[in-house]
Amino acid sequence: MEEVDHLAHERRSSEFDADAMKVVWAGSPRAFDIADRMSRLVAGDPEFRKDNRTMLGRKELFRNTLRKAWHAWKLINELHLTEEEASMLRVFVDEPAYVDLHWGMFVPAIKGQGTDEQQKKWLTLAYKMQIIGCYAQTELGHGSNVQGLETTATFDPKTDEFIIHSPTLTSSKWWPGGLGKISTHAVVFARLITDGKDFGVHGFIVQLRSLDDHSPLPGITVGDIGTKFGNAAYNTMDNGVLQFDHFRIPRDQMLMRLSQVTREGKYIKSDVPWQLVYGTMVYVRQAIVADASKALSRAVCIAVRYSAVRRQFGSQDGDGLETQVIDYKTQQSRLFPLLSSAYAFRFVGEWLKWLYTDVTQRLQAGDFSTLPEVHACTAGLKSLTTSVTADGIEECRKLCGGHGYLCSSGLPELFAVYVPACTYEGDNVVLLLQVARFLMKTVSQLGSGKPTGTAAYIGEAEYLMQCKCNVQKAEDWLNPSIILEVFEARAVRLAVNCAKIISKASSPEEGFAELSADLVEAAVAHCELIILSKFIEKVQQDIEGKGVKEQLQILCNIYALSLLHKHLGDFLATSCINPKQGTLANEQLRALYKQVRPNAVALVDAFNYTDHYLGSVLGRFDGNVYPKLYEEAWKEPLNDLVIPDGFHEYVQPLLKQQLRVSRL
Amino acid sequence: MEEVDHLAHERRSSEFDADAMKVVWAGSPRAFDIADRMSRLVAGDPEFRKDNRTMLGRKELFRNTLRKAWHAWKLINELHLTEEEASMLRVFVDEPAYVDLHWGMFVPAIKGQGTDEQQKKWLTLAYKMQIIGCYAQTELGHGSNVQGLETTATFDPKTDEFIIHSPTLTSSKWWPGGLGKISTHAVVFARLITDGKDFGVHGFIVQLRSLDDHSPLPGITVGDIGTKFGNAAYNTMDNGVLQFDHFRIPRDQMLMRLSQVTREGKYIKSDVPWQLVYGTMVYVRQAIVADASKALSRAVCIAVRYSAVRRQFGSQDGDGLETQVIDYKTQQSRLFPLLSSAYAFRFVGEWLKWLYTDVTQRLQAGDFSTLPEVHACTAGLKSLTTSVTADGIEECRKLCGGHGYLCSSGLPELFAVYVPACTYEGDNVVLLLQVARFLMKTVSQLGSGKPTGTAAYIGEAEYLMQCKCNVQKAEDWLNPSIILEVFEARAVRLAVNCAKIISKASSPEEGFAELSADLVEAAVAHCELIILSKFIEKVQQDIEGKGVKEQLQILCNIYALSLLHKHLGDFLATSCINPKQGTLANEQLRALYKQVRPNAVALVDAFNYTDHYLGSVLGRFDGNVYPKLYEEAWKEPLNDLVIPDGFHEYVQPLLKQQLRVSRL
């Protein structure tokens, strides 16, 4: 078979060292090597094929996922993969499965909240997958508000047991992944009641199913909650419903690291600081931000490649060919900001990894001083990156025209499987309100001490409230210190304006509630500033490889100026810039799009995604889109028969006029 | 069974005559009556059940749709439904099917482009469904650019036939609905070649399948193009691929109303003005805008009702209950602008119906003077309403929290089935560029004659370029003439600014291309002004029913001020308003949200949608959400078996440790 590369001319025209950029994207030569090996391992193994997923019914689909999880487990063991390699392999298998919850939530919950003894007992079983666990927190009537959970765990001193019970329909556990059909155990969150007193929500290890025959234990009602958005997407996962009817567990299955109930039923706080749970939270959120850059970069990779392949309307080159869609400014103005965001999220994710290490060390040293700032920062970054990514994937789908609507484009599935990230681990709007609360507090305490970390700039409020942007010509907008100051000024001014309005309200709480839509905008400004500043920091480091740094500078400027354009109202309303400067920024942005254009395909090649991982005919590395789309069509099950099922009963009678047509 | 209405208190607290509002929404008492009867007819007929759709495999799903189409046809005939009733019935069946293309594209194409003789022959068969047709225009490599189509229709004078041929893979017809498995005929668009000369794209009636046994005719390759976005969504439709291998049709199957090929092979334009095709275009676009208001209002109805049912976090009322989600300002600031947009689109759609009648009369009288304005207006409204609706449905899904991700919420399907509207009948960005082209032309010709219709305001450019908004206090923003003038000023200023920059470019074409992202923004401003002005006109009419007019005024103001907030950058950059006035607008907007809040549920009840049509557990009229969600879950096929298929092969070996764990 002849090898084609319809994108070769694009790759030749790029102006930087593509291999060096791959290492920058991966984070290090070592990270690149692991990702590269694991992605190829998965791509080359027919057991992991994905292209048929959207054609399977729910039962087949679920069985297929169980098979892949088993195959991955075998490979991990046979090849003696390290923990890091194993986790990368699971990433590239790219299919939500019960194992995600086992490794990602059940094990960490026991690690974080179990005593040493509990960890020893349960983690030993969990590591070997002799038990399979999930994380049962949300309920049918309760999501964001954990303190509103209704499930009870009542201590019975007579038997030294907790009685786990679902007192209402709305208290049914609802959504936990892996719960519906597979998990043998769960960490269940319930209101701890002892001696008639409610001590709030705590975690308990609960066995759900028999380890002999897998049937639910007496007192347990459990099942799958039904079909979810998308053809395959999260339907490979058994998100579940769970009800307890006075189900008893031994007292020592309460997770007792932070607090205990004694044999007598006395509730005691341990001397382990409760703030330790924040470590886990930062870890989970940095992982979500890393996922966002992965998902957005996949969508952008597909859209950039296909925009270079696809041609529509009049030729620019006089070669008789239609114009490549990527050459249209309307396409560029939607696509390149997303390309720059993918890079921006990648680098802020890298920084969050560092932040996690920093926080962990501080917590172990008993230093909780940075927690409020870290909490606000990670909450905000989770919210912002997942929202932008979800919208960005759909935008990329639209940028692919009609064919983006086919499952073979990969984009519908990418979207459907991604969007829950906007809701899980904290609804994105609720999280932004937490950021806003932190900002209001920081502003109100400006008299007493300097804010630190990502909030340090608020310490300069006095200057930032009145500073003047002195951009005179378009190129001035390439100066990172000018850009940064403008973004700082916008964020501070929005926050301070909100604080002023709230201070006039009858109560701070009422003022906050009334102004919450504006507060969300102030929080977004704060988060965008963080991402931008980390991008600028990255670009100011030494970066190896011909032209690599230059490309990243271009992307960083696109990130900044496209945000400025998007939120022009913020910048003008707070007088951070004047209308003329806004126009100059837009001019500079157009110039930057021109610069990035010849490098666009190489910049998405740098993600080093295999065709298997992308799962998109439109995003194929070789750009050989149309023959492959055509080939894919014939795999559709509806094409098995020339005359479709139902034709003879429901269509032929029309054509044969067996019906007396009484009107028309 | 006890009847519940968890939303009764919401309905009692509303401040207007709900029945009168239903008539306003429907358009007239007669329209209300037809929609009401047809929706109840469908909802009450078990043959039309929809709730199991997302669980069916593609083949079952397709068969199910054929069955419903047949059942609908029988009903239409048995009940002697009028054409209007029949079309309403199909709306409420609410499932894309081959019949949509037959009635919506095949029949109108023959009506519009066929000679009287051709209409008589083909429409007689089509009306009785003795033939079933589709509309084969787009090709694998060609969508938006109709002039780029590759399929050829070469006249052969020897046999008096056209030879229809697909010269390349990319010329394969691709996407036509109904083509894949069902249509017996198609209107095929192909380049007409006669006497060696290419006369461009023309329409031809082509038989594809045998009327005896439904097998594709020799020379025809036809099939389904595969799975599309969403669980059921458009997978009920057989979008198809079609290739011709020198397939011959008689000369008289060229649609010859506008031009003919003679027996000798001579190409002749007829004396029927080609502008007549614009009539059809306006008709199709007004239908798309009507669909947009329908789709958006469904999503908003679900989100409003569920936001009133759902409670999260602290109580406001001291009754111990958590707060209704609809009382949060963040929820209101996302939900109420969409509610107002649904009404805005409904009224602009109504006006477009009038415009269609007006255009038709003018065309028949040979008056083509309004066509450029009408073309720009309808193109822009199609683009704007479909984009806002697609994004709005997804926003409503997110506003429902995690449960919005379940198919039983109805929102994933509503989204997946709606989004193609952004691409079909003109890609939304391409359409906005057409609007922009019209605007540039109008601005450049301001010296020579006054613009009319929706562009009339551009005639006031001189005044609008320098007028000052004199809003002093928040309530001033309730004055419709102030609002209108500010929106007119914004639209004119954006357009004139673009025109100025283009005039400095080396050529108008290059300037236009370079500036196209800004031009799209100018086009959006023009379209939003049209919608707003039609909403204001509507509200200024006499409207019956207690409080109805007042509610519509509130919605109209929310529509205006939420747009002003969204595009604040436009308004400030063009100095239409100053930052202080922007702040006042936002203040007024918050006050309007308070006013609409007690009426929100009644305002979505006014759509008069049955639970069947909504297809959403979250949007149920009675608000009885949680018990029904729970009930739905158990219908999931995965719950048929306690131990899922695949467990014994792929999970039990893990639990039973039959695998030697070599690490960890």
Side-chain angles (χ1 to χ4, degrees):
Chain A
M1 219 170 79
E2 206 186 342
E3 259 201 47
V4 294
D5 183 359
H6 293 295
L7 293 171
H9 62 288
E10 291 287 340
R11 291 180 174 122
R12 276 193 303 269
S13 73
S14 77
E15 302 156 320
F16 65 93
D17 178 342
D19 289 331
M21 189 65 93
K22 285 183 183 175
V23 172
V24 172
W25 176 264
S28 70
R30 188 171 160 280
F32 171 78
D33 169 65
I34 295 178
D36 190 58
R37 276 190 295 112
M38 291 304 116
S39 66
R40 284 170 205 279
L41 178 64
V42 172
D45 189 333
E47 292 272 336
F48 291 126
R49 87 176 261 219
K50 300 192 296 187
D51 58 334
N52 60 341
R53 268 194 309 206
T54 58
M55 298 174 205
L56 303 177
R58 181 82 200 279
K59 286 179 183 177
E60 292 168 278
L61 183 67
F62 189 67
R63 182 193 165 88
N64 190 49
T65 303
L66 299 182
R67 181 182 53 73
K68 289 189 193 182
W70 165 243
H71 186 67
W73 178 252
K74 279 196 300 180
L75 274 187
I76 288 165
N77 285 282
E78 284 166 17
L79 302 176
H80 306 287
L81 299 186
T82 64
E83 208 171 311
E84 201 180 352
E85 289 169 334
S87 122
M88 263 297 166
L89 182 128
R90 278 194 290 267
V91 165
F92 289 114
V93 170
D94 188 37
E95 193 158 298
Y98 70 94
V99 287
D100 303 347
L101 283 299
H102 177 79
W103 295 111
M105 300 291 283
F106 182 69
V107 165
I110 296 172
K111 265 191 186 168
Q113 297 173 48
T115 61
D116 291 344
E117 206 179 344
Q118 287 176 319
Q119 294 193 33
K120 194 170 164 224
K121 173 174 175 187
W122 296 102
L123 292 183
T124 309
L125 294 164
Y127 281 144
K128 296 187 193 160
M129 299 199 81
Q130 287 177 306
I131 62 173
I132 296 171
C134 65
Y135 188 88
Q137 180 179 300
T138 51
E139 297 177 353
L140 184 52
H142 310 276
S144 299
N145 184 12
V146 176
Q147 294 315 316
L149 294 178
E150 295 180 80
T151 304
T152 52
T154 310
F155 182 64
D156 179 357
K158 287 200 284 295
T159 60
D160 198 21
E161 289 171 320
F162 285 105
I163 305 165
I164 314 282
H165 187 61
S166 311
T168 60
L169 180 83
T170 48
S171 74
S172 309
K173 293 295 173 187
W174 192 270
W175 277 117
L179 167 65
K181 305 308 287 184
I182 299 298
S183 293
T184 61
H185 290 68
V187 169
V188 171
F189 288 85
R191 319 193 68 81
L192 192 163
I193 296 166
T194 180
D195 209 11
K197 208 177 147 201
D198 182 335
F199 288 90
V201 173
H202 289 71
F204 302 83
I205 299 176
V206 182
Q207 182 173 351
L208 307 174
R209 291 179 166 98
S210 155
L211 290 173
D212 283 331
D213 65 3
H214 203 63
S215 61
L217 299 178
I220 301 274
T221 304
V222 64
D224 184 277
I225 58 170
T227 318
K228 289 146 290 187
F229 195 0
N231 306 68
Y234 258 93
N235 292 307
T236 57
M237 179 75 89
D238 53 333
N239 296 89
V241 49
L242 169 65
Q243 284 184 311
F244 299 99
D245 181 8
H246 300 92
F247 186 79
R248 288 173 172 268
I249 59 168
R251 179 172 54 92
D252 67 4
Q253 287 179 214
M254 169 185 173
L255 288 169
M256 297 225 199
R257 187 164 177 217
L258 298 174
S259 52
Q260 292 113 42
V261 167
T262 65
R263 178 65 192 89
E264 295 73 35
K266 223 180 130 209
Y267 180 82
I268 311 174
K269 288 257 171 216
S270 78
D271 51 6
V272 177
W274 61 270
Q275 288 93 339
L276 283 186
V277 298
Y278 278 99
T280 316
M281 197 197 61
V282 174
Y283 179 79
V284 170
R285 287 182 181 165
Q286 69 81 21
I288 292 178
V289 172
D291 282 351
S293 70
K294 224 165 242 149
L296 184 56
S297 57
R298 284 169 78 172
V300 167
C301 181
I302 295 167
V304 164
R305 286 184 183 160
Y306 183 52
S307 296
V309 167
R310 183 177 168 215
R311 294 170 179 271
Q312 291 276 307
F313 292 104
S315 162
Q316 289 188 327
D317 319 326
D319 53 7
L321 287 171
E322 290 176 291
T323 304
Q324 285 171 284
V325 168
I326 199 173
D327 283 322
Y328 289 105
K329 302 292 164 183
T330 44
Q331 195 84 355
Q332 294 178 3
S333 68
R334 297 159 74 198
L335 195 46
F336 294 160
L338 292 173
L339 174 63
S340 73
S341 300
Y343 274 90
F345 295 174
R346 180 69 191 89
F347 297 137
V348 83
E350 211 172 55
W351 171 76
L352 277 175
K353 256 188 166 168
W354 168 85
L355 186 70
Y356 170 64
T357 322
D358 183 66
V359 166
T360 310
Q361 284 169 357
R362 283 174 193 270
L363 289 176
Q364 280 161 358
D367 169 10
F368 307 133
S369 65
T370 65
L371 277 184
E373 183 257 312
V374 167
H375 177 262
C377 159
T378 56
L381 292 178
K382 184 273 175 183
S383 173
L384 194 82
T385 58
T386 57
S387 287
V388 170
T389 296
D391 294 348
I393 295 169
E394 172 61 7
E395 183 78 350
C396 286
R397 196 189 63 71
K398 290 200 187 112
L399 285 166
C400 291
H403 299 343
Y405 190 63
L406 282 169
C407 286
S408 55
S409 79
L411 291 162
E413 284 295 281
L414 195 54
F415 181 73
V417 87
Y418 189 75
V419 288
C422 297
T423 312
Y424 62 56
E425 288 298 314
D427 174 88
N428 279 354
V429 172
V430 173
L431 290 178
L432 287 177
L433 287 172
Q434 292 176 5
V435 175
R437 219 169 263 285
F438 164 77
L439 291 175
M440 292 306 98
K441 203 167 172 189
T442 306
V443 168
S444 74
Q445 295 175 342
L446 268 180
S448 53
K450 280 214 165 282
T452 56
T454 56
Y457 73 99
I458 303 176
E460 311 302 323
E462 209 172 320
Y463 169 73
L464 289 171
M465 287 301 289
Q466 47 75 29
C467 66
K468 284 250 169 287
C469 167
N470 58 9
V471 162
Q472 310 277 347
K473 51 188 195 306
E475 305 83 68
D476 291 345
W477 278 117
L478 300 177
N479 183 335
S481 54
I482 287 185
I483 292 180
L484 210 52
E485 186 173 292
V486 164
F487 272 76
E488 286 176 350
R490 166 207 180 203
V492 160
R493 292 178 194 191
L494 289 179
V496 170
N497 289 351
C498 285
K500 277 185 192 156
I501 299 175
I502 291 174
S503 71
K504 289 177 207 147
S506 53
S507 83
E509 265 323 293
E510 247 173 65
F512 190 91
E514 177 66 22
L515 208 66
S516 53
D518 299 73
L519 284 161
V520 161
E521 291 173 9
V524 166
H526 175 68
C527 300
E528 287 177 345
L529 168 62
I530 297 175
I531 299 174
L532 176 61
S533 66
K534 297 306 160 193
F535 203 159
I536 289 176
E537 277 174 25
K538 176 79 190 179
V539 171
Q540 286 173 342
Q541 291 168 15
D542 287 334
I543 299 173
E544 281 181 36
K546 174 184 156 276
V548 170
K549 188 166 179 158
E550 289 71 15
Q551 289 306 316
L552 294 178
Q553 265 159 347
I554 293 171
L555 289 174
C556 181
N557 286 322
I558 289 178
Y559 185 71
L561 296 184
S562 61
L563 282 181
L564 189 144
H565 182 66
K566 182 178 168 192
H567 298 290
L568 188 60
D570 282 2
F571 289 92
L572 291 174
T574 53
S575 304
C576 293
I577 63 168
N578 61 41
K580 170 76 185 153
Q581 291 168 330
T583 306
L584 291 174
N586 221 16
E587 245 173 63
Q588 186 54 52
L589 189 56
R590 287 200 297 269
L592 289 164
Y593 290 158
K594 270 210 184 76
Q595 290 179 274
V596 85
R597 163 65 189 92
N599 299 291
V601 168
L603 283 167
V604 301
D605 285 350
F607 306 147
N608 196 41
Y609 294 146
T610 62
D611 280 346
H612 173 274
Y613 185 58
L614 278 184
S616 167
V617 174
L618 303 186
R620 291 172 61 90
F621 182 83
D622 66 9
N624 193 26
V625 168
Y626 297 117
K628 294 295 174 179
L629 269 180
Y630 187 79
E631 218 177 285
E632 281 303 308
W634 299 106
K635 296 181 187 162
E636 162 61 41
L638 213 51
N639 288 328
D640 293 349
L641 294 170
V642 173
I643 316 296
D645 201 20
F647 174 82
H648 292 112
E649 299 95 308
Y650 307 124
V651 183
Q652 204 166 43
L654 289 174
L655 298 171
K656 297 291 185 195
Q657 282 254 73
Q658 291 170 2
L659 180 77
R660 270 230 336 274
V661 177
S662 43
R663 278 231 183 180
L664 300 169
Chain B
M1 219 171 78
E2 203 185 344
E3 259 200 48
V4 295
D5 183 359
H6 294 294
L7 293 170
H9 62 288
E10 291 287 340
R11 293 181 171 118
R12 275 194 303 270
S13 72
S14 78
E15 302 156 320
F16 65 94
D17 178 342
D19 288 331
M21 188 65 91
K22 285 182 184 177
V23 172
V24 172
W25 177 263
S28 70
R30 188 173 160 278
F32 171 79
D33 170 65
I34 295 177
D36 189 59
R37 277 189 295 113
M38 290 305 116
S39 66
R40 284 170 205 279
L41 178 63
V42 172
D45 189 332
E47 292 273 337
F48 292 126
R49 85 177 262 219
K50 301 193 296 186
D51 59 335
N52 60 342
R53 269 194 309 207
T54 58
M55 299 175 206
L56 302 177
R58 181 81 200 279
K59 286 179 184 179
E60 291 168 279
L61 183 66
F62 189 67
R63 182 193 165 90
N64 189 50
T65 304
L66 298 182
R67 182 183 52 72
K68 289 189 191 180
W70 165 244
H71 186 68
W73 179 251
K74 279 195 300 180
L75 274 186
I76 289 165
N77 286 282
E78 284 165 18
L79 302 175
H80 306 288
L81 300 187
T82 64
E83 209 171 311
E84 199 179 354
E85 289 169 334
S87 122
M88 263 298 168
L89 181 127
R90 278 193 291 267
V91 165
F92 290 114
V93 170
D94 188 37
E95 193 157 297
Y98 70 94
V99 286
D100 303 347
L101 284 299
H102 177 79
W103 294 112
M105 300 290 284
F106 182 70
V107 166
I110 296 173
K111 265 191 186 166
Q113 297 173 49
T115 60
D116 291 346
E117 205 179 345
Q118 287 177 320
Q119 294 193 33
K120 193 168 166 223
K121 172 175 175 186
W122 296 103
L123 292 182
T124 309
L125 293 164
Y127 281 143
K128 295 187 193 159
M129 295 197 86
Q130 288 177 304
I131 63 173
I132 296 170
C134 65
Y135 188 87
Q137 179 178 300
T138 51
E139 298 177 354
L140 184 52
H142 310 275
S144 299
N145 184 12
V146 176
Q147 294 316 314
L149 295 178
E150 295 180 81
T151 304
T152 52
T154 310
F155 182 63
D156 180 357
K158 287 199 286 292
T159 60
D160 199 22
E161 289 171 321
F162 285 104
I163 306 166
I164 314 280
H165 188 60
S166 311
T168 60
L169 180 84
T170 47
S171 73
S172 309
K173 292 294 173 188
W174 192 270
W175 276 118
L179 167 63
K181 305 309 286 183
I182 298 299
S183 294
T184 61
H185 289 67
V187 169
V188 172
F189 289 84
R191 318 193 70 79
L192 191 164
I193 296 168
T194 179
D195 210 10
K197 209 177 147 200
D198 183 334
F199 288 90
V201 173
H202 288 71
F204 302 83
I205 299 177
V206 183
Q207 182 173 349
L208 306 173
R209 292 180 166 94
S210 154
L211 291 172
D212 283 331
D213 65 3
H214 204 62
S215 59
L217 299 178
I220 302 272
T221 305
V222 63
D224 184 276
I225 58 170
T227 319
K228 288 145 291 186
F229 195 0
N231 306 68
Y234 257 94
N235 291 307
T236 57
M237 179 74 89
D238 53 334
N239 297 88
V241 49
L242 168 64
Q243 284 183 311
F244 299 101
D245 182 7
H246 299 93
F247 185 80
R248 288 173 171 268
I249 59 169
R251 179 170 56 91
D252 68 3
Q253 286 178 217
M254 169 185 171
L255 289 169
M256 298 224 199
R257 187 164 177 219
L258 298 174
S259 53
Q260 292 113 40
V261 168
T262 65
R263 177 64 190 88
E264 295 72 36
K266 222 179 129 209
Y267 180 84
I268 311 173
K269 289 254 170 219
S270 79
D271 52 4
V272 177
W274 61 270
Q275 288 93 338
L276 283 185
V277 300
Y278 278 99
T280 316
M281 199 196 61
V282 174
Y283 180 78
V284 170
R285 287 181 180 164
Q286 69 83 19
I288 292 178
V289 172
D291 283 350
S293 70
K294 224 166 241 150
L296 184 56
S297 58
R298 284 168 78 174
V300 167
C301 181
I302 296 168
V304 164
R305 285 183 183 161
Y306 183 51
S307 296
V309 167
R310 184 178 168 216
R311 294 171 180 271
Q312 291 278 303
F313 293 104
S315 163
Q316 290 188 327
D317 319 325
D319 52 8
L321 287 172
E322 290 176 290
T323 305
Q324 285 171 284
V325 168
I326 199 173
D327 283 323
Y328 289 105
K329 303 293 165 183
T330 45
Q331 195 84 354
Q332 293 178 2
S333 69
R334 296 159 74 197
L335 195 47
F336 294 161
L338 292 173
L339 174 63
S340 73
S341 299
Y343 274 90
F345 296 173
R346 179 70 189 91
F347 298 138
V348 83
E350 210 171 56
W351 170 76
L352 276 175
K353 256 188 167 168
W354 168 84
L355 186 70
Y356 170 65
T357 322
D358 183 65
V359 166
T360 309
Q361 284 169 356
R362 283 172 193 270
L363 289 177
Q364 279 161 357
D367 169 10
F368 307 133
S369 64
T370 64
L371 277 184
E373 183 257 311
V374 167
H375 177 262
C377 158
T378 56
L381 291 178
K382 183 273 176 186
S383 173
L384 194 83
T385 58
T386 56
S387 287
V388 170
T389 296
D391 294 349
I393 296 169
E394 172 62 7
E395 183 78 350
C396 286
R397 196 189 63 71
K398 290 201 187 111
L399 285 165
C400 291
H403 299 342
Y405 189 64
L406 282 170
C407 285
S408 55
S409 78
L411 291 162
E413 283 296 282
L414 195 54
F415 181 72
V417 88
Y418 189 75
V419 287
C422 297
T423 312
Y424 63 55
E425 288 299 313
D427 174 88
N428 279 355
V429 171
V430 174
L431 290 178
L432 287 177
L433 287 172
Q434 293 176 5
V435 176
R437 219 169 263 284
F438 165 77
L439 292 176
M440 292 307 98
K441 202 167 171 186
T442 306
V443 167
S444 75
Q445 297 175 340
L446 269 179
S448 53
K450 278 212 165 286
T452 56
T454 56
Y457 74 99
I458 303 176
E460 311 301 323
E462 209 171 323
Y463 169 74
L464 290 171
M465 287 300 290
Q466 47 74 31
C467 66
K468 285 248 167 291
C469 168
N470 59 8
V471 161
Q472 310 277 345
K473 50 188 197 305
E475 305 85 69
D476 292 344
W477 278 118
L478 301 177
N479 182 333
S481 53
I482 287 185
I483 290 180
L484 210 51
E485 185 173 294
V486 165
F487 272 76
E488 288 176 349
R490 166 206 179 206
V492 160
R493 293 178 194 191
L494 288 179
V496 170
N497 289 351
C498 286
K500 278 185 192 158
I501 298 175
I502 291 175
S503 71
K504 289 179 206 145
S506 52
S507 83
E509 265 323 293
E510 247 172 65
F512 191 90
E514 177 65 23
L515 208 67
S516 54
D518 298 74
L519 284 160
V520 162
E521 292 173 8
V524 166
H526 175 69
C527 300
E528 287 176 346
L529 168 62
I530 297 175
I531 300 174
L532 175 60
S533 66
K534 297 306 159 192
F535 203 159
I536 290 176
E537 276 174 25
K538 176 79 191 180
V539 171
Q540 286 172 343
Q541 292 167 14
D542 287 333
I543 299 173
E544 280 181 37
K546 176 185 156 275
V548 170
K549 188 167 180 156
E550 288 72 14
Q551 289 306 316
L552 293 179
Q553 264 159 349
I554 292 170
L555 289 173
C556 181
N557 286 322
I558 288 179
Y559 185 71
L561 297 183
S562 60
L563 281 182
L564 190 144
H565 182 66
K566 182 177 168 193
H567 298 290
L568 188 59
D570 282 3
F571 289 92
L572 291 174
T574 53
S575 303
C576 292
I577 63 168
N578 61 40
K580 171 77 186 149
Q581 291 168 330
T583 306
L584 291 173
N586 220 16
E587 245 173 63
Q588 186 54 52
L589 189 55
R590 287 200 297 270
L592 290 164
Y593 290 157
K594 270 208 183 77
Q595 290 180 276
V596 85
R597 163 64 188 94
N599 299 290
V601 168
L603 282 168
V604 301
D605 285 351
F607 306 146
N608 196 42
Y609 294 147
T610 63
D611 279 345
H612 173 275
Y613 185 58
L614 279 184
S616 168
V617 175
L618 303 185
R620 290 172 63 90
F621 183 83
D622 65 8
N624 193 25
V625 169
Y626 297 118
K628 293 294 175 180
L629 269 181
Y630 188 80
E631 217 177 288
E632 281 303 307
W634 298 106
K635 296 181 186 162
E636 162 60 41
L638 213 52
N639 288 328
D640 293 348
L641 294 170
V642 174
I643 315 296
D645 201 19
F647 174 82
H648 295 292
E649 298 96 308
Y650 306 125
V651 183
Q652 204 166 42
L654 290 173
L655 298 170
K656 296 291 183 196
Q657 281 255 72
Q658 290 171 1
L659 179 78
R660 274 232 329 275
V661 176
S662 43
R663 280 229 181 180
L664 300 169

